[in-house]
Amino acid sequence: MTAYDEYLKCLADADEDGAVDIAGGLLDDGVDPERVLLDLVAPAQEQVGQWWQRNEWSVAQEHAATHISERVVAAVGSIASRRRAASRGRLVVACLDGEWHALPARLVGEVLRLRGWQITFLGASVPVAHLVSYLHQQDVDAVALSCALPTRLPAAHRAVQACRRAEVPLIVGGRGFGPDGRWARAIGARWAPGADGAADLLEDPGALLAPAAEALAHLADDEHTALLKRRGDLVDAAAAELLREFPPMREYSVVQLDATMTDLAHIVDFLAAAVYVDDPELFTGFLAWTSEVLHSRGVPASSLTIPLRQYGAMLYDFPRAGTMLAAGLAQLPA
């Protein structure tokens, strides 16, 4: 059994000490700490996410595994930092307001610490105002912000503008900016595809301060703001329509009903994010992922057509949202 297989078994067994011992053993054997983080912890955590998506793991199991990996990242970083002194500037690493997936940011931060940066990790869900206040109080050379969900793109845009006004170089990363960083470019941010890319961007902080072009002229139509104002009404109406047209919902438990309401809200949130950056693929990609999750839990993907039609009827005067809803309906089974 490889170290990776043993590590996955520790995650499955919630064996925190065993996982730390595996990482420590690799370091003792001379494996570069960066490789332990990027070739052991990162892919294992991605596997955990896939197990949850396929309904093979519960949310509780996924949370336990994430906690273990966070401890492993901290342990590796602590051991490695004693071997390598900081030789570069001070970098603040944080997650955007509303972003609770902190492990990817922590991983990148520890890799950059290994590259010589002095890292201050602010953790998950840092409000933009608090971040800017911290930057004004501290001597900071650059900021790295993480986002796993594109629903946080408006917050990311505010952070980009705030850091620009504070004249602090900023880079962003995470799946929330799209597989190729296209949504980062839309909000005028410099995107790094991973730890290596982040290190490369930080080589020239001066270039990071140069204004990057935004692609958000469409926000002048105010469709995004108006859509968010109707969020509650949209979710309530879709839930009522589902109850009428999807008979299995009448037998749902309280837990299942709560999950359904969360899913309906997520549809609106991802639609709003797609409208914000004017990219239908953000919305259709989310629907494809949601279809897989529902299928793995015994819910037909065709049930998504009910809320999408309801949203379309209520948003008849929202042209960009209507186009995206139509694209979503076209890819779903009848």
Side-chain angles (χ1 to χ4, degrees):
M1 184 180 292
T2 66
Y4 177 73
D5 294 329
E6 292 176 354
Y7 186 79
L8 282 178
K9 187 176 185 306
C10 287
L11 296 184
D13 295 340
D15 183 0
E16 190 171 330
D17 292 335
V20 173
D21 288 343
I22 290 171
L26 291 172
L27 295 178
D28 291 341
D29 291 340
V31 177
D32 190 297
E34 192 170 314
R35 302 274 47 93
V36 175
L37 296 175
L38 298 181
D39 298 340
L40 178 72
V41 180
Q45 196 62 28
E46 185 170 349
Q47 178 63 63
V48 167
Q50 292 173 2
W51 281 332
W52 173 86
Q53 183 176 338
R54 297 198 298 261
N55 203 29
E56 296 174 18
W57 273 30
S58 67
V59 171
Q61 287 174 298
E62 185 269 337
H63 283 188
T66 300
H67 166 74
I68 291 171
S69 289
E70 287 174 342
R71 185 184 167 193
V72 170
V73 170
V76 171
S78 177
I79 294 171
S81 64
R82 293 197 293 267
R83 304 176 184 176
R84 305 182 187 182
S87 57
R88 296 179 181 269
R90 184 179 179 189
L91 177 69
V92 168
V93 179
C95 297
L96 284 163
D97 188 10
E99 177 58 69
W100 296 98
H101 298 81
L103 181 57
R106 184 66 182 270
L107 258 170
V108 171
E110 292 303 332
V111 170
L112 292 174
R113 192 193 307 276
L114 294 170
R115 301 283 184 98
W117 287 89
Q118 179 186 350
I119 302 297
T120 299
F121 183 62
L122 300 185
S125 191
V126 179
V128 174
H130 293 189
L131 172 65
V132 172
S133 175
Y134 186 85
L135 297 181
H136 284 306
Q137 294 170 11
Q138 306 292 328
D139 184 18
V140 175
D141 294 291
V143 176
L145 291 179
S146 174
C147 175
L149 297 175
T151 52
R152 309 314 307 157
L153 286 170
H157 187 208
R158 293 192 296 272
V160 170
Q161 294 174 318
C163 287
R164 189 169 293 156
R165 289 192 294 268
E167 297 185 337
V168 178
L170 169 73
I171 62 173
V172 300
R175 293 184 177 182
F177 295 103
D180 56 359
R182 71 182 73 173
W183 304 321
R185 291 190 291 275
I187 64 173
R190 312 288 185 180
W191 175 76
D196 290 333
D200 292 341
L201 279 177
L202 291 169
E203 287 295 325
D204 189 359
L208 293 178
L209 283 172
E214 296 180 356
L216 298 174
H218 53 272
L219 291 179
D221 64 15
D222 222 24
E223 189 169 320
H224 173 263
T225 302
L227 175 55
L228 289 182
K229 288 181 179 178
R230 301 193 65 181
R231 182 179 186 268
D233 292 339
L234 288 165
V235 172
D236 289 344
E241 192 68 13
L242 262 177
L243 198 58
R244 283 192 295 268
E245 294 194 28
F246 189 61
M249 186 175 170
R250 298 165 196 165
E251 308 298 326
Y252 276 9
S253 67
V254 173
V255 173
Q256 289 173 309
L257 287 173
D258 183 64
T260 300
M261 295 300 290
T262 298
D263 289 342
L264 293 175
H266 282 164
I267 294 173
V268 177
D269 292 340
F270 274 83
L271 176 62
V275 168
Y276 195 86
V277 294
D278 200 27
D279 188 349
E281 289 187 20
L282 191 160
F283 185 61
T284 56
F286 163 72
L287 287 180
W289 178 85
T290 301
S291 297
E292 294 178 6
V293 172
L294 291 177
H295 177 74
S296 71
R297 286 152 177 77
V299 180
S302 58
S303 63
L304 287 170
T305 62
I306 298 170
L308 292 191
R309 287 174 180 154
Q310 181 64 34
Y311 292 157
M314 295 178 68
L315 298 173
Y316 65 91
D317 54 348
F318 287 61
R320 290 194 292 120
T323 298
M324 295 174 188
L325 286 165
L329 278 167
Q331 76 179 30
L332 293 174

